[in-house]
Amino acid sequence: MSVPFLRLQAGWDELAQPLAEALLRVGASGWYIGGPELDAFEHAFAEYTGARHCVGVANGLDALSLALLALGVGPGDEVIVPSNTYIATWLAVTHIGATVRPVEPCPTTWNLDPDRVEAAIGPRTKAILPVHLYGLAADLPALQAIAERHGLALLDDAAQAHGVRVGGRRVGAGTSASAWSFYPSKNLGALGDAGAVTTDDDRVADAVRVRRNYGSRVKYHNEVTGVNSRLDPIQAAALRVKLPVLDAWNDRRVAQAGRYLQGIADLDLETPTVLADTEPVWHLFPVLCADRDGLARALAARGVETLIHYPVAPHLQPAYAHLGWGPGTFPLAERIHAHELSLPIGPHLALSDIDTVVDALRALVPRR
Ligand SMILES: *Cc1c(COP(=O)(O)O)cnc(C)c1O
């Protein structure tokens, strides 16, 4: 491949020495669960997001489900989720025994449509769970107003949104809670699985802290039926090395996205609209194209690797067949899932790589 989708190992190469030192420090410390590395990362990430609290957990899926439980969501409750998202958003809701109430996206931003959210609220609705999909902010001010009007929790899935700004402030503070994944390919990625919940609410932070550790505050005394979902100190140490370069790495993505937007503006491809007064971090660079699979094959033949995020909408997955939602139930989500193609983007691609992709697209895609 002349332009690979992702160069994860280049992230190690750039920071090899401080990362290796961090791993050795944990190994030599004797602290293999919890301890000073975890505390230090939690403190640093809370400061980065502007939230009062950060609680590290094992992965992004647990961050979502533990945050929901901490917000008092449980069996019998309904949670409004986007019809177009990575399936983890839905799984977090159904794993805790609550019900998903999918709502279609705004056709231009591809993120949860506040007008449709308001119409979907019913007597059992307990929370709204927007996703900042692809690293573009959901309409938090509008969703916050709706949540306040109806007395609902607002939990944002920020797994693709490290560093996204809304109204000049980073996401992660200001909602009821935010759930984070540090899966290796995310904008802030660990060397394995990791996640966190950030919140300004003392009680929510405390509830996640207790639940991630077997429901126990004092060893061998269990207040609730918790789980084992602790953020590994090795991952915390690696994340502490990577957090200081996050903004610089995001800047590279923003520059690459700008290059794409300029280079393909006259082509017959759709890109998502960035909401006014928000700053995206382009976790992915998605386009919608008429013949998605044909374009992916033609780009591969020219050495450009692409991926699809995501090929099947959650409601059409066999995992959710029992909910009884067939094709046509959520047409906006289905359209995005049928036509979406993700172009290479990331801190370890060069602008010349982006130019290579743009040249290939200009040779393959008709003008508008
Ligand atoms: C990655 C991701 C998750 C889940 O994170 P894991 O750490 O893989 O469990 C949840 N939601 C979204 C939108 C994601 O992209």
Side-chain angles (χ1 to χ4, degrees):
M1 284 290 166
S2 58
V3 185
F5 188 75
L6 192 74
R7 288 195 180 111
L8 266 189
Q9 206 188 330
W12 170 272
D13 293 341
E14 184 174 333
L15 298 169
Q17 196 180 335
L19 282 172
E21 282 166 10
L23 301 188
L24 288 171
R25 195 169 66 234
V26 176
S29 75
W31 278 100
Y32 305 135
I33 296 287
E37 290 292 343
L38 177 59
D39 293 346
F41 172 69
E42 288 180 341
H43 191 82
F45 196 64
E47 194 167 305
Y48 178 83
T49 58
R52 279 170 55 83
H53 304 280
C54 169
V55 184
V57 296
N59 55 63
L61 176 59
D62 285 359
L64 285 164
S65 55
L66 293 177
L68 286 168
L69 287 168
L71 291 166
V73 179
D77 295 330
E78 227 170 59
V79 178
I80 291 178
V81 295
S83 55
N84 64 315
T85 181
Y86 179 55
I87 196 166
T89 317
W90 286 38
L91 287 173
V93 174
T94 57
H95 279 167
I96 63 160
T99 304
V100 285
R101 176 73 165 85
V103 166
E104 289 266 76
C106 167
T108 52
T109 67
W110 311 355
N111 268 323
L112 201 51
D113 184 341
D115 293 336
R116 293 172 202 262
V117 166
E118 185 122 49
I121 293 171
R124 292 166 55 208
T125 309
K126 196 75 183 266
I128 307 173
L129 175 35
V131 180
H132 307 291
L133 197 63
Y134 308 129
L136 279 69
D139 193 350
L140 285 186
L143 294 169
Q144 185 92 54
I146 294 169
E148 276 167 22
R149 209 152 48 232
H150 295 269
L152 306 176
L154 178 63
L155 166 66
D156 52 326
D157 179 340
Q160 305 189 354
H162 316 76
V164 166
R165 286 176 192 266
V166 175
R169 293 182 48 192
R170 292 196 182 103
V171 298
T175 58
S176 309
S178 305
W180 302 88
S181 166
F182 307 115
Y183 182 80
S185 62
K186 304 286 159 110
N187 291 40
L188 177 60
L191 302 174
D193 276 313
V197 175
T198 56
T199 180
D200 295 325
D201 186 325
D202 300 353
R203 280 173 310 176
V204 171
D206 185 62
V208 175
R209 224 173 259 291
V210 169
R211 281 191 184 273
R212 75 171 172 184
N213 187 36
Y214 288 112
S216 165
R217 204 182 301 270
V218 177
K219 207 168 189 181
Y220 306 129
H221 293 270
N222 305 85
E223 298 170 22
V224 288
T225 52
V227 294
N228 176 355
S229 182
R230 298 177 291 230
L231 171 55
D232 188 309
I234 289 183
Q235 301 307 337
L239 287 167
R240 209 146 69 84
V241 172
K242 296 180 87 175
L243 181 57
V245 302
L246 172 58
D247 286 343
W249 287 14
N250 278 343
D251 287 346
R252 297 180 201 170
R253 292 175 182 270
V254 170
Q256 292 164 10
R259 196 81 147 216
Y260 274 134
L261 289 170
Q262 195 174 29
I264 66 173
D266 59 337
L267 300 186
D268 189 20
L269 295 170
E270 271 178 65
T271 53
T273 304
V274 176
L275 280 175
D277 207 21
T278 71
E279 294 164 47
V281 296
W282 298 102
H283 170 60
L284 295 167
F285 191 88
V287 297
L288 301 187
C289 43
D291 175 14
R292 186 255 312 276
D293 298 332
L295 182 58
R297 270 194 305 274
L299 284 170
R302 289 168 180 258
V304 174
E305 189 183 12
T306 55
L307 292 177
I308 296 169
H309 297 92
Y310 300 85
V312 182
H315 70 282
L316 298 178
Q317 296 282 1
Y320 284 120
H322 61 279
L323 298 178
W325 290 318
T329 312
F330 300 109
L332 291 174
E334 288 169 33
R335 176 170 179 272
I336 293 170
H337 286 259
H339 295 283
E340 195 273 348
L341 191 66
S342 297
L343 305 177
I345 193 165
H348 299 98
L349 295 175
L351 283 176
S352 59
D353 291 321
I354 307 305
D355 293 340
T356 302
V357 182
V358 168
D359 289 345
L361 288 167
R362 297 197 67 79
L364 293 167
V365 179
R367 305 282 145 88
R368 232 195 278 276

